[in-house]
Amino acid sequence: MEITPLSENPKPPDDFKGRLAYLWKKIRLQVRFYFRKVLPPVTRERVGEVQMQLRDSSAPDFDYFVMVLLSAMIATFGLLIDSVATIIGAMLVAPLMSPVLGIGLASIRGDTTLLKDALSAALRGALIAIMLSAIITWSNELIPFVSLQDLPTEVLSRTRPTPIDLGIALAGGLAATYALVQPGLSAAMPGVAIATALMPPLCSVGVGIALGRWDVAQGAFMLFLTNAITIAGSATSLFYILGFSLGRKTTSRNLPRSVQASLVLTLILLAYLGVQSFIFFQEANFNRTINHVAHEQVESRDGTLTDLEWLEVEDVLQIKITIQISEPLSYFASVEIQDALANELQKVVELSINQVTVAKLDPKSPPTPTPTRTVGPSPTPTITPTVTPTLTATSTPLPTATNTPEPTFTPLPGLGLIPEGNGVDLHQSPEGPVIGRIPRGVPFQVLYGYEIVNGWVWIEVEDAEGRIGWIPQYLSALITETPTPTATPAP
């Protein structure tokens, strides 16, 4: 293309609309002039070489499927053992990048043969990778050579695509296309294959299907679609910019339909991933708030929060926490934690606390060993028996003290109640945490258990709600059944 120098352009028209059109044309010519100086178009010979190279590497032949099988095996094993190095090796072996680039070149060149081969290779390779990873994961469930208590981190990291993944795929597609066109940059292709991962998301889909985790399979498949579509779209755009379009019509005002379709698909993916990222951000912020409030409440009571799980069911937030604490929390302290969570989150909270009682001991120094002195043998003395006269003592009887037994309390099973006051707290153990309250006048069942703690007698009872606990004996009274006299008729 020959660009007209700006000095030879005609003078701008006098009307306002004509001046705007002239100014816009001048800007386009200037930008195109400098762009072609920085990035000159590719020669026809190089266009043919790149097209033949992608035709060979995108053909769904025996060698292609062998490399797909081997890379899928490596990626699946790497995901199961959670090994980053193994997954990187699978990315280097995987041949899926070539068909995706072939789709981009075929769409801009109108090469139906290349488009058909590239689509067939990409779809069949993806299906084989998913099936093989699912089979390997199922085999691991039958014969567990790898213990899977939870999903590996490398699998979970590929279940939530974000706009950042789209940006990585966009840059990776441009880098792969440019390295393919420029012969001296072929060494950059392995790095591009690592950055824009295609095989690990497919194997994550198979792992999710085998384990029945359809959310994992869906998220990983969405990541694969994001990478594949973005790489193909960026390759199409760069091929068009470098002069690969059919007939080399790079000066046309209207972009080819393939480039327009790539841009539209990329924008749709960007909008979808943006919405998903916003939802994920809200969930992460909500989870961080729950953790912050729970940690603050537990640490203020000299405890340690070790685990937290939450689930929202029908507008009720069910929270389950596990704490380590030296002294068990009382019932009222648990209610305070629940109220703090409800006030901070502005939701109805159902709290469940698992308490693990721990003993914190002061550090002790090891005892200092004391050397034992060894004494040599000593002579054995000869003992001469001496006759000692035996005195016969006459015993005088003394008064014998009689021990008065301490009173003991043996509870008898029956019914009891609290006769006075506003009721009594029901403790989990004598002087332990409060688990409820027995109102005044409400009967309860007295059990056999009793203990004396700090001089007070505690009895084991079961209240009307079926809770078993301990109360002080002096606050209760037994219900004595008074027999009702039966009248006997006179003869």
Side-chain angles (χ1 to χ4, degrees):
M1 172 190 172
E2 183 179 355
I3 301 178
T4 304
L6 297 180
S7 59
E8 300 180 6
N9 288 337
K11 294 182 179 181
D14 296 333
D15 58 324
F16 180 72
K17 184 176 181 181
R19 288 184 178 182
L20 287 179
Y22 172 78
L23 182 60
W24 173 244
K25 182 179 179 180
K26 183 178 179 180
I27 293 174
R28 287 196 299 115
L29 289 175
Q30 191 75 20
V31 171
R32 190 177 299 158
F33 176 75
Y34 286 109
F35 181 76
R36 284 309 179 195
K37 288 184 66 176
V38 176
L39 187 65
V42 183
T43 61
R44 292 180 181 272
E45 292 76 10
R46 186 55 186 167
V47 171
E49 292 176 0
V50 172
Q51 190 169 358
M52 293 303 298
Q53 182 180 353
L54 284 180
R55 275 192 178 185
D56 294 338
S57 59
S58 301
D61 52 8
F62 179 76
D63 296 336
Y64 172 80
F65 290 118
V66 167
M67 297 304 293
V68 168
L69 286 173
L70 295 178
S71 61
M73 290 179 62
I74 297 173
T76 304
F77 288 128
L79 291 172
L80 293 179
I81 65 176
D82 212 4
S83 173
V84 180
T86 307
I87 296 173
I88 292 176
M91 297 176 191
L92 295 174
V93 178
L96 293 177
M97 179 68 76
S98 296
V100 176
L101 295 178
I103 293 173
L105 180 60
S107 61
I108 202 69
R109 294 285 297 172
D111 191 343
T112 56
T113 302
L114 176 59
L115 182 62
K116 184 187 300 182
D117 290 344
L119 282 174
S120 176
L123 294 177
R124 291 160 67 180
L127 184 61
I128 290 174
I130 293 174
M131 293 177 59
L132 181 61
S133 61
I135 292 173
I136 292 177
T137 308
W138 274 326
S139 302
N140 181 66
E141 291 293 310
L142 297 177
I143 306 175
F145 49 86
V146 177
S147 178
L148 291 180
Q149 300 294 336
D150 295 318
L151 280 175
T153 306
E154 291 297 322
V155 175
L156 293 176
S157 64
R158 290 171 171 83
T159 58
R160 286 186 178 271
T162 63
I164 296 179
D165 296 310
L166 188 143
I168 294 173
L170 180 63
L174 294 175
T177 305
Y178 192 75
L180 182 66
V181 173
Q182 301 296 332
L185 298 178
S186 59
M189 292 297 292
V192 175
I194 295 174
T196 57
L198 293 173
M199 184 59 72
L202 288 174
C203 296
S204 299
V205 174
V207 173
I209 293 175
L211 298 178
R213 293 290 303 271
W214 299 105
D215 55 338
V216 172
Q218 179 183 358
F221 186 71
M222 192 63 203
L223 177 60
F224 168 75
L225 284 182
T226 300
N227 291 342
I229 293 176
T230 308
I231 292 172
S234 59
T236 302
S237 303
L238 189 56
F239 279 135
Y240 170 73
I241 294 173
L242 294 176
F244 276 75
S245 61
L246 189 61
R248 305 176 65 83
K249 297 179 181 179
T250 56
T251 61
S252 175
R253 292 185 179 180
N254 298 323
L255 294 176
R257 291 184 177 180
S258 57
V259 178
Q260 296 178 9
S262 301
L263 294 176
V264 170
L265 286 177
T266 303
L267 291 176
I268 292 175
L269 281 174
L270 182 61
Y272 173 79
L273 296 179
V275 172
Q276 293 296 321
S277 298
F278 179 73
I279 295 174
F280 176 71
F281 173 76
Q282 285 187 326
E283 292 180 357
N285 189 29
F286 188 71
N287 191 23
R288 183 169 59 251
T289 303
I290 295 177
N291 276 278
H292 174 72
V293 176
H295 271 285
E296 187 178 26
Q297 292 294 323
V298 173
E299 289 176 359
S300 64
R301 293 167 174 82
D302 297 331
T304 303
L305 181 65
T306 59
D307 188 27
L308 187 146
E309 299 176 2
W310 64 272
L311 180 65
E312 192 168 3
V313 180
E314 297 181 357
D315 296 333
V316 177
L317 188 61
Q318 300 177 354
I319 302 177
K320 181 180 179 181
I321 63 175
T322 302
I323 64 174
Q324 293 181 354
I325 195 166
S326 56
E327 295 183 1
L329 291 177
S330 64
Y331 175 78
F332 299 105
S334 303
V335 172
E336 289 178 358
I337 297 176
Q338 185 179 20
D339 292 340
L341 288 170
N343 293 332
E344 185 70 25
L345 303 173
Q346 294 298 312
K347 287 183 176 292
V348 180
V349 175
E350 179 182 332
L351 181 61
S352 176
I353 303 178
N354 293 329
Q355 303 185 47
V356 179
T357 306
V358 295
K360 296 182 179 180
L361 305 179
D362 296 332
K364 296 292 184 181
S365 301
T368 303
T370 304
T372 304
R373 184 177 180 181
T374 305
V375 182
S378 57
T380 304
T382 303
I383 301 175
T384 304
T386 305
V387 179
T388 304
T390 302
L391 301 178
T392 303
T394 304
S395 60
T396 305
L398 299 174
T400 304
T402 304
N403 295 329
T404 304
E406 297 182 356
T408 58
F409 173 77
T410 304
L412 296 177
L415 294 178
L417 53 79
I418 307 301
E420 298 177 355
N422 296 324
V424 65
D425 291 335
L426 182 65
H427 296 257
Q428 185 178 3
S429 60
E431 295 189 355
V434 178
I435 61 175
R437 189 171 182 81
I438 300 177
R440 183 183 64 177
V442 177
F444 54 81
Q445 181 69 35
V446 180
L447 305 178
Y448 282 97
Y450 83 100
E451 291 186 13
I452 300 176
V453 178
N454 295 331
W456 298 98
V457 177
W458 293 74
I459 59 175
E460 187 180 20
V461 299
E462 179 180 0
D463 65 355
E465 299 181 7
R467 297 174 297 192
I468 298 178
W470 297 76
I471 64 172
Q473 183 269 337
Y474 74 93
L475 297 176
S476 64
L478 291 176
I479 300 176
T480 304
E481 297 183 358
T482 304
T484 305
T486 303
T488 303

